[in-house]
Amino acid sequence: MSFEVLKSALKNLSFWYEKEGVEEVAINRPGEIWIRQSGKKKDPWVVYSDDRLTKAYLEDVLYLIANTYAIPFDPDLGSPLVFSDLPGGHRFSAISGKNVLYDENDISGGVAISIRKHRDDVDYSFSDWGLEKGVKLQKVDKKVVENITDPYEKMMTILANGEHLLISGATSTGKTTFLNNVLKVLPKEKRIITVEDTRELIVSQPNHVHLLLSRTQQSNSLNYSGVIDLVVRMTPDVIIGGEISTENAGAIWELMGTGHDNCLASIHAESPDAAYKAFIDRIVHTYPNIDREKLMENMRDRVHVVQISRDGNIRVVSEIV
């Protein structure tokens, strides 16, 4: 299946998610689409009717995407999910079949879709999260003096000292965009290696490598154990692990212990404490017998958390631990 065929089939959907000012679109039932508008604090979601978005059309789209990317998909045989990137880099998540019910009287199943719009630019600064630039960093013996007068300086101190950073926040708080802004302030001479399951990070440093281990499109036997061995031999200055999941948490934690500077990642959590606990919960999937109490102690010593909170479409850094 060619990308041109897929792009043509997606026209009824791309009509919505390619509009200006759209951050995300969601389909909960046929014939209607919800639009999350960028920059709106109050009532960011707006619903529209669209008769083109029939159940049959939406199901066809899922099969087309699955066929294009060789994703196992068959709602009747226990494979109801489709995770993928669309042409243009937009993140696509969907479920189909009897796991989706439109109402209590309908047991035939349905389709639910969410598309997160990709942006090629990172037209944000830390001030968009309430972080304002303060006093310039002072260096003593290659370390930064911690006379921090504001949260921005605290974060700059963490980065300049080569310490590890976890960006924590709920859905749509802008964790990946924040990570992209961290990349913008890192020195140009740094060697950057990213490890993602979906390509989202934008690296301007010329000495960089992007590694991709898709959850649904992996075409070879490379796993995170192999990635650890590879990354530590590629002598990075900064390792960025994307969003922490059950698949990559153990690997990211190991990489944080290899002696490399600045291992960065994001995690879905609503507080720094919840971020640490969520990280540990995901590590346990790889290392079920690990001492959780000792792990928590080591993690608090080794990893800082920047917590992002959200009120409507307004995001702020609420804590740096």
Side-chain angles (χ1 to χ4, degrees):
M1 185 72 64
S2 72
F3 283 103
E4 291 305 315
V5 173
L6 179 58
K7 287 170 69 175
S8 178
L10 287 168
K11 281 183 179 178
N12 293 345
L13 278 173
S14 62
F15 170 83
W16 293 102
Y17 62 72
E18 289 181 352
K19 284 179 176 291
E20 286 294 324
V22 172
E23 181 178 303
E24 187 172 356
V25 303
I27 296 174
N28 304 330
R29 61 180 62 246
E32 69 178 32
I33 187 164
W34 289 83
I35 306 296
R36 181 191 284 276
Q37 305 165 95
S38 300
K40 288 200 66 176
K41 179 177 179 180
K42 185 178 181 181
D43 300 328
W45 287 97
V46 179
V47 62
Y48 297 91
S49 297
D50 189 336
D51 294 337
R52 299 171 299 174
L53 305 179
T54 64
K55 182 179 177 182
Y57 166 75
L58 298 174
E59 289 174 338
D60 286 346
V61 164
L62 266 62
Y63 278 106
L64 281 170
I65 292 172
N67 289 337
T68 301
Y69 294 104
I71 299 168
F73 173 67
D74 191 328
D76 297 325
L77 296 178
S79 301
L81 302 175
V82 176
F83 299 120
S84 180
D85 286 345
L86 301 181
H90 313 294
R91 184 192 291 182
F92 183 89
S93 304
I95 182 171
S96 179
K98 294 187 178 181
N99 295 96
V100 183
L101 295 180
Y102 294 135
D103 58 61
E104 60 184 11
N105 297 317
D106 180 9
I107 61 173
S108 63
V111 180
I113 294 173
S114 177
I115 302 172
R116 182 78 62 83
K117 186 172 182 177
H118 172 73
R119 292 182 54 159
D120 288 324
D121 65 317
V122 191
D123 190 21
Y124 290 90
S125 67
F126 288 124
S127 62
D128 290 289
W129 286 271
L131 288 179
E132 298 292 340
K133 190 172 183 178
V135 179
K136 290 183 178 180
L137 299 177
Q138 302 175 50
K139 294 186 177 181
V140 176
D141 295 330
K142 297 184 179 180
K143 290 290 183 180
V144 177
V145 177
E146 290 200 41
N147 61 339
I148 299 167
T149 58
D150 57 51
Y152 179 91
E153 285 297 326
K154 185 172 185 178
M155 190 179 67
M156 293 298 103
T157 299
I158 292 167
L159 295 174
N161 282 345
E163 298 172 57
H164 305 317
L165 193 62
L166 198 58
I167 311 302
S168 170
T171 301
S172 298
T173 47
K175 298 184 292 295
T176 301
T177 306
F178 193 92
L179 266 178
N180 274 320
N181 274 273
V182 171
L183 276 162
K184 291 199 300 185
V185 303
L186 292 175
K188 291 295 182 183
E189 64 271 16
K190 292 285 188 180
R191 173 167 167 77
I192 314 289
I193 295 182
T194 69
V195 184
E196 302 176 86
D197 56 39
T198 301
R199 177 69 185 277
E200 294 183 297
L201 296 171
I202 302 170
V203 183
S204 61
Q205 287 78 1
N207 188 357
H208 71 265
V209 178
H210 289 288
L211 301 178
L212 188 68
L213 271 79
S214 172
R215 300 183 197 182
T216 57
Q217 301 170 32
Q218 192 69 14
S219 59
N220 57 38
S221 60
L222 181 64
N223 56 25
Y224 279 100
S225 177
V227 166
I228 295 171
D229 293 338
L230 175 65
V231 169
V232 296
R233 288 166 172 79
M234 295 183 80
T235 60
D237 297 314
V238 179
I239 303 167
I240 304 186
E243 184 159 359
I244 288 177
S245 66
T246 55
E247 287 86 358
N248 66 14
I252 291 173
W253 177 245
E254 285 197 48
L255 289 170
M256 286 179 170
T258 56
H260 293 87
D261 287 348
N262 289 136
C263 190
L264 314 176
S266 64
I267 195 164
H268 187 98
E270 295 188 351
S271 71
D273 279 343
Y276 288 128
K277 291 174 183 175
F279 196 1
I280 290 172
D281 287 343
R282 287 157 177 76
I283 292 172
V284 168
H285 281 265
T286 305
Y287 302 104
N289 297 320
I290 199 166
D291 185 331
R292 294 177 67 104
E293 185 174 337
K294 184 65 174 178
L295 180 57
M296 176 65 81
E297 180 182 339
N298 291 339
M299 191 174 290
R300 288 184 180 277
D301 286 341
R302 192 182 296 175
V303 183
H304 299 272
V305 176
V306 171
Q307 183 65 40
I308 302 176
S309 300
R310 177 172 185 159
D311 182 6
N313 268 356
I314 306 301
R315 291 103 162 169
V316 295
V317 171
S318 57
E319 222 172 335
I320 301 180
V321 177

